[in-house]
């Protein structure tokens, strides 16, 4: 049974519903190669747990190669690369056939391989396609920050992507810095009003054909649906932005809202992207959002392990809610196993098993490989249990079920009619 399940999982196409990957047209935003893998922000925070020969500020002033050299020495040579993010780098090299260089611990030989694979723009395009194929990822939904000058400059030039990339409208700034968002759009000749904001968002909706709105919400986010306080357009609080802008727009455009709860941004600001933490968030707020807005679809994931059981129960209660993935600090084998077991036991196949959240192209190889190992172990046990109970399953049914967890539940939810 285990062999059959492992092979089915390996052969099943994946939709990676949230990553930070970009097509090669997005130049400096499209990250790949060993130095990007080694300077992943997860590894930077792990470096400074054990390393004190340079300040964090001075580390960030170094070149990416110099940063990678330090991380390689400190976390791979002087210490066994045992953490999930360290092991991921090894898995990537293994999958790319670099076993000899890994055995020799020869970082420069590894660099030469990646340089060779990406030595010109057409090779980079081929390489991206090859990595998606190796990871069996049919497509990913990008993180397109439409309130970021750098990103919309690139998006204005190239908004037609290969079928490997679908888009999203990432709107954290709209919700938590409405005044700043008005300033932002005024630089593109939109009036600093709610109508201006809605027209700006509709411009990108029409240009990008996004899958969903997305925003990460801090752990102390609390949805207050009764907030009928007077608001003036230049200083809306986040509840007013949800009530008067985002949710009406999501319903008008029939666009789901993907909320990621539980961040604690800037826990250690010196570390930059590597310095964010997490907090126990308000699952009740998600339930209220779903209950008060039955015509709006919500996708949700929570960053804290503590919230996972209540999230499962909430997902049982609201047909307009779909939960997905083991996000960020939950994307570790021990936690993926506990959370996925709970979700199968309480939601059946009605959730999306994982998203990789990859920032560097080749992370698709390790993040999915590591997660699929866990899924294989879980499903072997679960199928043996149902067979023990007297229900026989054939390979086609297992293929159907696995496909639900890796892509079909998401696509079914996105097509679901909310007519009740
Ligand atoms: O807000 C997000 O989408 C998070 O995934 C952050 O980008 C975070 O820094 C991250 O990369 N987590 O994996
Ligand atoms: Zn992310």
């Amino acid at each position: 049974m285990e062999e059959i399940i492992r092979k089915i999982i390996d052969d099943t196409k994946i939709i990676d519903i949230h990553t930070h990957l970009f097509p090669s047209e997005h130049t400096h935003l499209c990250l790949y190669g060993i130095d990007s893998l080694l300077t992943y922000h997860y590894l930077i925070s792990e470096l400074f747990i054990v390393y004190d020969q340079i300040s964090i500020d001075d580390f960030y002033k170094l070149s990416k190669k110099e940063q990678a050299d330090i991380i390689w020495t400190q976390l791979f040579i002087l210490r066994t690369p045992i953490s999930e993010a360290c092991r991921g780098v090894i898995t990537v090299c293994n999958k790319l056939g670099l076993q000899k260089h890994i055995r020799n611990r020869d970082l420069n030989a590894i660099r030469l391989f990646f340089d060779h694979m990406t030595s010109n723009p057409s090779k980079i395009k081929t390489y991206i396609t090859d990595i998606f194929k190796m990871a069996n990822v049919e497509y990913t939904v990008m993180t397109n920050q439409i309130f970021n000058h750098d990103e919309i400059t690139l998006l204005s030039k190239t908004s037609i992507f290969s079928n490997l990339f679908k888009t999203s409208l990432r709107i954290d700034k709209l919700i938590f810095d409405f005044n700043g968002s008005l300033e932002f759009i005024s630089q593109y000749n939109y009036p600093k009003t709610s109508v201006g904001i809605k027209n700006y968002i509709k411009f990108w909706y029409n240009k990008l054909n996004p899958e969903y709105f997305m925003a990460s919400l801090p752990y102390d986010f609390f949805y207050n649906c009764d907030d009928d306080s007077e608001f003036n357009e230049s200083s809306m609080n986040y509840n007013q932005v949800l009530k008067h802008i985002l949710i009406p727009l999501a319903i008008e455009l029939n666009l789901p809202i993907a909320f990621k709860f539980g961040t604690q941004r800037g826990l250690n600001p010196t570390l930059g992207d590597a310095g964010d933490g997490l907090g126990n968030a308000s699952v009740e707020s998600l339930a209220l959002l779903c209950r008060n807005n039955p015509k709006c679809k919500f996708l949700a994931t929570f960053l804290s392990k503590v919230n996972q059981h209540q999230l499962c129960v909430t997902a049982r209660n609201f047909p307009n809610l779909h939960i997905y993935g083991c996000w960020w600090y939950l994307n570790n084998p021990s936690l993926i196993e506990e959370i996925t077991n709970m979700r199968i036991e309480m939601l059946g196949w009605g959730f999306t098993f994982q998203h990789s959240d990859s920032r560097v192209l080749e992370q698709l190889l390790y993040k999915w490989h590591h997660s699929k190992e866990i899924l294989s172990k879980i499903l072997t046990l679960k199928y043996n249990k149902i067979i023990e109970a007297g229900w026989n399953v054939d390979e086609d049914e297992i293929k159907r079920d696995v496909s639900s967890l890796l892509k079909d539940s998401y696509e079914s939810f996105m097509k679901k009619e909310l007519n009740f």
Side-chain angles (χ1 to χ4, degrees):
M1 177 60 89
E2 177 150 12
E3 280 317 305
I4 292 170
I5 288 171
R6 178 179 294 277
K7 174 141 184 12
I8 289 173
I9 290 173
D10 271 346
D11 292 348
T12 301
K13 279 277 181 203
I14 295 163
I15 294 173
D16 198 340
I17 70 173
H18 168 66
T19 69
H20 301 266
L21 300 179
F22 290 92
S24 54
E25 293 84 349
H26 282 214
T27 59
H28 61 285
L29 296 182
C30 173
L31 299 178
Y32 50 81
I34 189 65
D35 289 327
S36 292
L37 289 167
L38 285 170
T39 54
Y40 186 34
H41 69 69
Y42 292 29
L43 291 173
I44 292 176
S45 48
E46 289 175 32
L47 170 71
F48 284 100
I49 297 171
V50 295
Y51 183 61
D52 61 359
Q53 289 149 51
I54 188 173
S55 74
I56 297 171
D57 284 340
D58 286 344
F59 175 81
Y60 274 124
K61 289 174 188 149
L62 299 174
S63 70
K64 189 186 278 192
K65 184 175 177 299
E66 289 166 325
Q67 292 177 13
D69 284 335
I70 291 173
I71 288 171
W72 176 258
T73 303
Q74 294 300 325
L75 298 184
F76 291 74
I77 303 303
L78 297 181
R79 299 165 182 84
T80 299
I82 200 77
S83 77
E84 183 60 7
C86 282
R87 179 169 74 105
V89 176
I90 306 301
T91 300
V92 167
C93 292
N94 215 336
K95 287 218 170 255
L96 291 172
L98 303 178
Q99 288 81 357
K100 181 164 69 76
H101 300 330
I102 285 295
R103 263 198 312 279
N104 298 336
R105 302 183 182 180
D106 185 345
L107 177 55
N108 285 323
I110 293 170
R111 274 189 178 118
L112 286 174
F113 166 82
F114 283 96
D115 291 348
H116 171 70
M117 297 306 286
T118 56
S119 53
N120 65 55
S122 75
K123 286 182 81 173
I124 294 171
K125 277 186 184 302
T126 308
Y127 182 61
I128 290 172
T129 306
D130 291 347
I131 296 292
F132 270 74
K133 205 176 292 170
M134 280 177 77
N136 215 5
V137 172
E138 186 172 308
Y139 64 82
T140 184
V141 184
M142 300 159 75
T143 301
N144 300 106
Q145 305 194 65
I146 55 170
F147 290 99
N148 174 295
H149 291 295
D150 188 18
E151 288 204 37
I152 63 171
T153 305
L154 287 162
L155 277 172
S156 305
K157 290 177 197 151
T158 40
S159 52
I160 310 294
F161 308 109
S162 83
N163 56 2
L164 297 176
F165 294 94
K166 291 189 182 250
T167 63
S168 66
L169 300 180
R170 184 69 184 252
I171 40 106
D172 299 39
K173 188 180 179 69
L174 170 74
I175 300 173
F176 297 104
D177 178 13
F178 186 71
N179 201 10
S181 304
L182 292 175
E183 286 305 319
F184 185 94
I185 66 168
S186 68
Q187 296 170 51
Y188 298 90
N189 305 319
Y190 285 84
K192 295 200 284 190
T193 62
S194 299
V195 172
I197 278 277
K198 286 183 178 179
N199 289 337
Y200 176 77
I201 291 169
K202 283 179 185 172
F203 169 80
W204 287 110
Y205 170 78
N206 291 317
K207 190 172 177 64
L208 299 179
N209 182 31
E211 286 282 291
Y212 49 61
F213 283 111
M214 174 172 270
S216 69
L217 308 175
Y219 71 97
D220 55 357
F221 165 86
F222 290 97
Y223 175 63
N224 169 4
C225 50
D226 305 326
D227 183 339
D228 282 330
S229 53
E230 276 306 304
F231 68 92
N232 69 38
E233 297 211 325
S234 60
S235 62
M236 276 203 235
N237 65 41
Y238 62 69
N239 269 304
Q240 290 165 334
V241 175
L242 290 181
K243 183 170 184 172
H244 300 292
I245 307 275
L246 181 60
I247 292 172
L249 209 43
I251 292 168
E252 181 189 337
L253 302 174
N254 189 24
L255 201 60
I257 299 174
F259 278 147
K260 306 153 72 70
F261 292 76
T263 58
Q264 191 168 358
R265 299 290 184 188
L267 186 62
N268 177 354
T270 322
L271 277 168
D273 274 348
D276 291 335
L278 70 82
N280 300 336
S282 165
V283 185
E284 296 81 358
S285 292
L286 173 63
L288 267 177
L289 279 162
C290 296
R291 189 170 68 193
N292 293 345
N293 305 286
K295 289 292 177 200
C296 189
K297 282 181 191 170
F298 294 93
L299 295 125
T301 199
F302 277 67
L303 192 47
S304 167
K305 176 187 173 189
V306 170
N307 291 134
Q308 298 305 321
H309 186 238
Q310 188 182 3
L311 176 59
C312 264
V313 172
T314 304
R316 289 165 61 92
N317 281 277
F318 296 103
N320 58 330
L321 171 61
H322 183 79
I323 67 175
Y324 70 95
C326 301
W327 179 30
W328 196 347
Y329 296 116
L330 294 176
N331 196 357
N332 297 309
S334 59
L335 299 172
I336 295 167
E337 183 166 357
E338 177 185 333
I339 291 165
T340 304
N341 265 311
M342 175 166 49
R343 287 176 178 173
I344 289 174
E345 288 154 8
M346 296 178 79
L347 305 174
W349 309 104
F351 67 100
T352 294
F353 161 60
Q354 186 59 291
H355 69 286
S356 76
D357 214 357
S358 296
R359 282 173 170 256
V360 183
L361 173 67
E362 300 91 343
Q363 288 175 339
L364 289 176
L365 299 179
Y366 93 78
K367 286 175 182 274
W368 282 107
H369 180 76
H370 292 184
S371 289
K372 293 194 300 188
E373 276 180 329
I374 310 295
L375 183 61
S376 179
K377 177 181 168 190
I378 291 170
L379 290 183
T380 301
L381 281 171
K382 290 297 180 196
Y383 279 113
N384 283 333
K385 280 287 174 205
I386 196 70
I387 290 165
E388 224 175 84
W391 185 271
N392 288 325
V393 282
D394 65 28
E395 281 197 32
D396 286 340
E397 288 169 328
I398 296 175
K399 286 175 184 167
R400 172 203 61 195
D401 300 340
V402 167
S403 195
S404 296
L405 292 185
L406 294 179
K407 64 186 285 274
D408 293 339
S409 287
Y410 168 71
E411 291 199 321
S412 307
F413 179 72
M414 298 299 272
K415 291 180 201 130
K416 193 177 193 179
E417 294 295 323
L418 297 179
N419 43 19
F420 46 77

